[in-house]
Amino acid sequence: MAEAVYRAVTREEEPEAMRLWTQVFNVPEGFFQTLLDVEEDRSLAQTRVAVCDGKIVSGLQFFYRDVRGLDGATSRMGGIANVATFEDARKCGHSGRLLQDAIEQMERDGCAWSMLFTGVNQHYARYGWKTVKTRSRKGNLRAGTRSGSGKYTVGALGHLLSEHLPELKVIHDEFDRSRPLSMVRSLRAWETAVYYRMGPESNSVVYTAKLDGATVAYAVVKREAEISLNEIGCRTGHERALLDIMDGIRADEAAKGGTVAHLWIPFDAVGDSCVEALVEGVETLEHGYVMARPIGTSMSMEDVEALFEAPEAIYWQLDNF
């Protein structure tokens, strides 16, 4: 094999890069395309490729996101994703070289830190990423008495979801306005990547709670072998509306024979009340698939780790890349 050239992808090569990701990860093209569509001013330099004999053999992407810190202020995070190499080109150092290029580009573009999701932590540790603690909870769906107030009208949006994205965005922005680790979502993000991950084809259900006709809270549940509570949000003063939603989820899942729920929500007072309302026999799970590192000098590794350790911190599942 000829010596590789490492560089940014060209516009003409983007379909070839897409084929690399869909073949290696066996994931529909829409998953990758919606991530690309979030950033209106995305640069080709954010997709790095290794080219041998005129063919892309390895590639990765990085996405820029504004993420809230401990004080609620935002910093630019560079999310590494879709690191892929064709099988016959592996163990040649391609991904390592691309990661080094990505670090340099992220620093030039003003990123304060970076994160990624992986199952091969030792590979990324060589380039400065460190495994950070993330937690979730799991339990058996609770039966019996109502937890909420019963004063809110709870329902599922179904095919009307796309029409309600602006009002969900308002609730999300208010609920997370000072929440560490949460991402600032544009309406464009809601309409592309977020919608893809919670829309009808995602096997998810979006529940809302209304009061006097106004939507004041929502929750996103994904149905698989066990249900996953992937996101919650409410307007200030309507925290109990989430408990009414939990009652609605329990009733629906009981009718479908569901028994176990996995909850990816904050370890704060609101999150704890939702856990108590939805499940019993709660188990806290610690995960090691998220890695992070500072970029440049504005943040230290200790600063980055502190983001993940705050009880109210959350990087919502719908923002995964």
Side-chain angles (χ1 to χ4, degrees):
M1 183 176 290
E3 185 175 350
V5 176
Y6 303 96
R7 55 172 172 77
V9 74
T10 66
R11 188 70 64 192
E12 294 72 24
E13 290 172 326
E14 285 187 315
E16 183 182 356
M18 186 70 73
R19 287 193 294 273
L20 165 67
W21 300 317
T22 56
Q23 290 178 35
V24 170
F25 296 115
N26 193 30
V27 173
E29 184 174 315
F31 173 84
F32 304 104
Q33 189 59 55
T34 55
L35 285 172
L36 294 170
D37 291 343
V38 170
E39 296 176 84
E40 191 170 5
D41 57 351
R42 181 179 174 80
S43 166
L44 290 172
Q46 290 173 245
T47 301
R48 314 299 302 185
V49 293
V51 180
C52 291
D53 294 326
K55 176 187 175 184
I56 294 176
V57 297
S58 184
L60 61 75
Q61 297 173 306
F62 44 101
F63 305 100
Y64 293 151
R65 302 288 188 262
D66 291 329
V67 179
R68 295 178 180 88
L70 295 177
D71 60 356
T74 61
S75 60
R76 174 174 275 195
M77 183 273 291
I80 297 287
N82 309 329
V83 183
T85 305
F86 283 122
E87 189 171 358
D88 60 359
R90 292 173 185 168
K91 299 184 179 180
C92 296
H94 297 316
S95 66
R97 172 61 187 273
L98 295 176
L99 287 167
Q100 291 172 329
D101 289 350
I103 292 168
E104 294 171 5
Q105 186 67 48
M106 287 190 290
E107 184 167 7
R108 285 194 292 270
D109 289 344
C111 286
W113 64 287
S114 172
M115 68 180 289
L116 54 85
F117 310 102
T118 185
V120 287
N121 302 54
Q122 68 278 8
H123 176 67
Y124 295 97
R126 302 174 198 164
Y127 305 99
W129 280 272
K130 181 179 178 181
T131 302
V132 288
K133 183 176 69 174
T134 54
R135 299 182 297 166
S136 63
R137 285 170 281 195
K138 181 182 286 191
N140 300 316
L141 286 167
R142 187 181 293 277
T145 58
R146 177 182 293 274
S147 299
S149 64
K151 74 176 184 178
Y152 296 93
T153 302
V154 173
L157 291 178
H159 68 281
L160 298 175
L161 172 60
S162 60
E163 301 174 16
H164 291 267
L165 295 177
E167 65 185 14
L168 296 183
K169 179 185 184 304
V170 170
I171 296 170
H172 175 81
D173 290 348
E174 182 174 329
F175 189 62
D176 289 339
R177 63 183 178 272
S178 60
R179 187 179 304 281
L181 206 56
S182 64
M183 191 186 83
V184 179
R185 291 182 192 157
S186 65
L187 183 58
R188 184 185 182 96
W190 276 95
E191 293 172 340
T192 53
V194 176
Y195 180 75
Y196 184 88
R197 286 153 182 77
M198 71 176 188
E201 295 183 4
S202 70
N203 203 30
S204 297
V205 180
V206 180
Y207 290 86
T208 61
K210 294 179 180 288
L211 184 65
D212 298 328
T215 302
V216 297
Y218 74 93
V220 182
V221 171
K222 186 175 180 66
R223 290 195 172 111
E224 298 175 308
E226 58 189 32
I227 72 164
S228 292
L229 180 58
N230 286 341
E231 184 161 304
I232 57 174
C234 66
R235 301 298 301 264
T236 301
H238 293 282
E239 290 77 9
R240 291 194 64 82
L242 286 169
L243 303 187
D244 281 9
I245 291 177
M246 297 304 113
D247 287 342
I249 294 171
R250 285 194 294 113
D252 284 355
E253 291 307 315
K256 293 179 173 64
T259 58
V260 178
H262 199 162
L263 303 96
W264 301 88
I265 59 178
F267 283 72
D268 61 2
V270 175
D272 291 348
S273 67
C274 288
V275 171
E276 183 177 355
L278 187 62
V279 295
E280 57 189 357
V282 180
E283 177 186 7
T284 298
L285 307 176
E286 291 194 0
H287 309 283
Y289 64 87
V290 180
M291 302 187 75
R293 57 157 291 167
I295 300 290
T297 59
S298 63
M299 293 181 71
S300 66
M301 190 65 226
E302 289 75 18
D303 294 331
V304 174
E305 289 177 306
L307 287 178
F308 289 84
E309 292 169 358
E312 69 276 20
I314 191 73
Y315 196 88
W316 298 108
Q317 293 289 298
L318 298 180
D319 290 322
N320 285 353
F321 43 82

